[in-house]
Amino acid sequence: MLRVIAGGPGMTWCRARETRNILRQICTTYCTKARARDFNMWKQQFELREPEFNLEYLLDEKNRDVIRKNVANRKGVGDIDRVVELWKRLNEEPKPDIQEKLKIAFLTAASEIPNTSHPESPVGDEDESRQVELIGAPRVEDGLKSIVELGEHLGMLRVSNVNMTTGPSTYYFTDQLAQLEQALVTFTIKFLLNKGFELVSVPDLLHPHVIEGCGFKTSGDVAQVYHLDPSRHERLCLAGTAEMALAGFLGNEVLNEEDLPKRLASVSRCYRAETSDADSALGIYRVHQFTKVEMFCVTASDVTESSDMLQELLDIEKTLFSQLQLHFRVLDMSTAELGAPAHRKYDIEAWMPASQLWGEISSTSNCTDFQSRRLHVKYRTRDGELRHCHTVNGTACAVPRTIIALCETHQTKDGSVRLPNVLWSHMNGQTELRQPDQPTNLQWIKANRFT
């Protein structure tokens, strides 16, 4: 039939032309409506369904003291007594308009209750975090250059004279150092792909509800999130980590149990509105934007499975940093350092010999069902039952901090940097960072005005 309509055998030239004109009108009309529909979809406001909290656990009086103690241990702001009170008032209120207000208040209060803490997580402040492993040997030597000194000596790092373009707490990598950034990303991604991870390219712009659903604040004194101009964009933020976008990618999804665990990886820019005057924050340690390779995994709702995945991600991180020949330690983080979403968290701190300090280069967390209940990430069991997934995340490579540890550890007396052999193939066979034969000499001239 399509052949006849399109002017198949037996049709006259005039009928064929008439038919083509009709088809063209139909296609034009359809495309116009499709474009209008797509445009209207862009105009629609973002909507995220209400979180599906574990009310059976939250409202059980037997759990009240445990929840109170957990909130106190984690220095949280959650108030379980208020949650229970609002739930009771909500169910007793007959007026719909007041019901709606109580419902919003209840959901807000319930969302502030942090995840449960692993029974082996150290209780207390950061000082209580427990070292569980020490890998490699520290480089002990006087006169080592810092990353800023090395970068400036090589002519490949710019952290001063950046106010004209970006402002403080930022940087430029150039030449071989910029190549090293790409080499680290390529090395890490290749490793993860061989481990069965699926690579996902993620957006940097996210709705705040997605970020909040992951357990990160987008407003208030502790928020580190950049917001776009609300007069031009309807409530959009810059993502602080690909974890947020990957969690949103799976939002409202129903996975099959036989497809779990699911392993995702992403390379993204990360944006953090944080500042510090501490010495450790100078240079490129604590910056407003940087490149990071993130791992994000989904398991069944079994704490044993998500705990095994947490260990798998930790083993990956340890292998990667060992291949980069870094000296680092693994910390089982204390309850005060878990944040709201984590059930258990391990940090990896690398020794930065020029600075003579331990600097965090990676973190991996088991968030159990904290994020999936807020973002509706579920799976269907083999028996047909719907359950909330567990989510586990980990940093495979935070580029600037990895570069600090790598360059300070592998520097030579002449100011060059020996590269670990796992990076050579990703640096076109280059085995070290050294000054180019004909370095470019730049002089920065401070002017009061442009002419």
Side-chain angles (χ1 to χ4, degrees):
M1 181 165 179
L2 286 174
R3 290 181 62 195
V4 174
I5 291 177
M11 292 190 70
T12 65
W13 179 82
C14 290
R15 277 195 69 191
R17 184 177 63 179
E18 180 181 352
T19 302
R20 284 196 295 270
N21 289 336
I22 293 173
L23 284 174
R24 188 177 293 113
Q25 289 178 349
I26 293 173
C27 290
T28 301
T29 302
Y30 174 80
C31 291
T32 300
K33 290 182 178 179
R35 284 195 295 268
R37 183 183 67 248
D38 291 343
F39 179 73
N40 288 330
M41 287 178 65
W42 277 105
K43 292 174 63 177
Q44 290 178 2
Q45 288 190 348
F46 175 90
E47 290 185 9
L48 183 66
R49 290 183 289 125
E50 298 169 0
E52 297 175 342
F53 297 119
N54 187 350
L55 298 183
E56 184 178 351
Y57 174 78
L58 290 176
L59 301 176
D60 190 338
E61 188 174 354
K62 297 177 183 177
N63 300 324
R64 204 76 51 82
D65 289 339
V66 174
I67 296 174
R68 284 196 202 99
K69 186 176 181 181
N70 184 53
V71 171
N73 288 340
R74 296 168 72 118
K75 293 187 175 181
V77 295
D79 186 343
I80 188 59
D81 296 313
R82 176 167 169 76
V83 171
V84 174
E85 177 194 356
L86 287 169
W87 176 257
K88 182 179 179 181
R89 290 173 56 190
L90 175 61
N91 285 274
E92 293 176 350
E93 179 58 51
K95 297 180 179 179
D97 56 335
I98 300 180
Q99 273 186 356
E100 187 60 27
K101 293 179 181 179
L102 287 172
K103 183 180 178 181
I104 294 173
F106 168 76
L107 292 174
T108 301
S111 68
E112 293 175 345
I113 302 296
N115 201 347
T116 59
S117 301
H118 192 280
E120 295 181 12
S121 293
V123 176
D125 294 329
E126 183 179 6
D127 293 342
E128 299 300 323
S129 297
R130 180 174 58 248
Q131 178 176 303
V132 296
E133 196 167 0
L134 186 65
I135 298 176
R139 181 171 181 179
V140 181
E141 188 176 331
D142 293 333
L144 293 176
K145 292 183 173 65
S146 69
I147 182 59
V148 174
E149 293 169 328
L150 283 169
E152 291 178 344
H153 168 74
L154 295 169
M156 301 171 191
L157 173 64
R158 180 173 158 194
V159 293
S160 59
N161 294 292
V162 294
N163 287 353
M164 183 185 300
T165 53
T166 62
S169 299
T170 189
Y171 60 94
Y172 284 87
F173 288 150
T174 63
D175 196 33
Q176 299 163 42
L177 204 54
Q179 294 176 43
L180 177 60
E181 176 177 38
Q182 299 305 314
L184 285 168
V185 170
T186 305
F187 159 69
T188 305
I189 287 297
K190 183 179 179 180
F191 185 91
L192 294 181
L193 292 177
N194 288 332
K195 289 290 185 179
F197 280 76
E198 176 186 350
L199 187 60
V200 181
S201 178
V202 298
D204 293 332
L205 299 178
L206 295 175
H207 194 280
H209 285 174
V210 174
I211 298 175
E212 295 273 355
C214 290
F216 301 94
K217 293 293 185 183
T218 61
S219 60
D221 295 337
V222 297
Q224 299 177 352
V225 177
Y226 284 108
H227 292 257
L228 270 65
D229 183 354
S231 67
R232 295 176 58 86
H233 304 278
E234 182 65 26
R235 299 196 66 195
L236 285 175
C237 300
L238 290 173
T241 168
E243 172 194 343
M244 301 169 178
L246 290 171
F249 175 68
L250 295 173
N252 296 325
E253 290 286 331
V254 177
L255 307 172
N256 294 318
E257 185 174 13
E258 53 267 27
D259 296 329
L260 299 178
K262 195 171 186 68
R263 299 172 177 85
L264 304 178
S266 183
V267 183
S268 75
R269 294 290 281 177
C270 303
Y271 301 88
R272 309 279 178 89
E274 56 183 0
T275 58
S276 174
D277 294 329
D279 290 341
S280 60
L282 299 178
I284 59 173
Y285 184 83
R286 194 179 301 280
V287 289
H288 290 316
Q289 62 181 45
F290 58 95
T291 301
K292 180 159 71 84
V293 182
E294 182 76 1
M295 302 177 288
F296 188 84
C297 301
V298 177
T299 73
S301 57
D302 184 332
V303 71
T304 301
E305 291 194 29
S306 55
S307 295
D308 289 345
M309 181 57 69
L310 179 69
Q311 186 62 48
E312 179 180 327
L313 297 194
L314 181 60
D315 289 342
I316 287 173
E317 293 167 351
K318 287 158 52 179
T319 301
L320 288 168
F321 301 138
S322 293
Q323 290 188 9
L324 294 177
Q325 301 169 15
L326 301 180
H327 174 50
F328 59 92
R329 63 183 183 180
V330 181
L331 302 177
D332 189 359
M333 299 307 292
S334 65
T335 52
E337 295 296 309
L338 295 180
H343 173 67
R344 192 176 197 179
K345 182 172 77 165
Y346 291 103
D347 278 4
I348 291 182
E349 295 182 343
W351 179 247
M352 299 177 178
S355 309
Q356 292 288 296
L357 57 81
W358 293 101
E360 180 192 337
I361 60 171
S362 180
S363 180
T364 182
S365 303
N366 181 3
C367 297
T368 62
D369 61 358
F370 183 92
Q371 296 174 333
S372 63
R373 286 184 175 276
R374 288 157 171 76
L375 298 174
H376 309 282
V377 184
K378 300 180 181 180
Y379 71 99
R380 194 180 305 277
T381 68
R382 292 175 175 85
D383 297 330
E385 181 184 356
L386 283 180
R387 295 181 182 175
H388 292 92
C389 299
H390 281 193
T391 59
V392 186
N393 66 80
T395 300
C397 182
V399 171
R401 293 187 179 184
T402 303
I403 284 181
I404 295 174
L406 191 152
C407 289
E408 290 192 3
T409 298
H410 300 306
Q411 63 181 286
T412 64
K413 291 184 178 181
D414 66 359
S416 60
V417 177
R418 293 189 302 268
L419 296 175
N421 56 9
V422 293
L423 297 178
W424 294 354
S425 62
H426 306 297
M427 292 285 293
N428 295 321
Q430 187 174 331
T431 61
E432 62 181 1
L433 305 182
R434 62 169 48 255
Q435 283 184 324
D437 294 335
Q438 294 181 337
T440 301
N441 294 319
L442 297 178
Q443 283 188 326
W444 302 107
I445 302 173
K446 185 175 180 180
N448 292 325
R449 61 185 178 86
F450 292 103
T451 56

